[in-house]
Amino acid sequence: MAVEVHDVDVAEARRRLDAGARLFDVREQGEWDEVHAPEATLVPMSELVARWQEIDGGDQPAIVVCHSGARSARVVAALEQSGVPAVNLTGGMVAWEQAGQPVVRAAGGDDAQGEPRHEH
């Protein structure tokens, strides 16, 4: 039986993040290094089998993001099948940036001013 994937747009994702939800980025390290949301946690899709239990949205479903929303939709389906409540960020990091949300960039193009980089 197929699992229904629930999508949220950037505005709803921001509202949920402000209310305590957590954002998980499932892109690969190189994509993350180029640009990512400062509040995101990197759990690459290629490591999902080993690390899926790290994804926890707290009191709310985890918000999952990739570049454009396709990989994260697959991850959300897998998480939901495993009993982990999750939603897909429609449009991914492309939509996130277009909506003017803060990002951390590589090579000194840091828009988030002093936000710590992900350590892994």
Side-chain angles (χ1 to χ4, degrees):
M1 183 169 114
V3 173
E4 184 178 349
V5 172
H6 295 280
D7 296 303
V8 295
D9 63 13
V10 174
E12 177 63 13
R14 171 49 58 202
R15 187 190 70 68
R16 290 179 181 212
L17 290 167
D18 290 345
R22 295 186 59 204
L23 179 65
F24 294 89
D25 193 323
V26 296
R27 298 173 303 150
E28 296 304 314
Q29 185 72 52
E31 296 171 284
W32 166 273
D33 290 343
E34 281 182 31
V35 62
H36 63 269
E39 58 266 85
T41 299
L42 179 64
V43 180
M45 188 173 170
S46 63
E47 299 175 16
L48 192 65
V49 171
R51 297 182 57 195
W52 71 270
Q53 291 174 314
E54 293 177 36
I55 298 180
D56 176 9
D59 293 340
Q60 301 185 46
I63 302 168
V64 182
V65 65
C66 66
H67 178 73
S68 63
R71 282 177 286 180
S72 52
R74 293 199 312 263
V75 169
V76 166
L79 289 170
E80 286 281 343
Q81 246 177 345
S82 298
V84 178
V87 295
N88 181 43
L89 178 56
T90 304
M93 281 304 296
V94 172
W96 181 267
E97 279 196 271
Q98 287 175 345
Q101 292 297 317
V103 296
V104 176
R105 292 191 178 282
D110 185 348
D111 291 0
Q113 298 165 7
E115 287 290 332
R117 298 201 47 97
H118 179 74
E119 296 173 12
H120 233 280

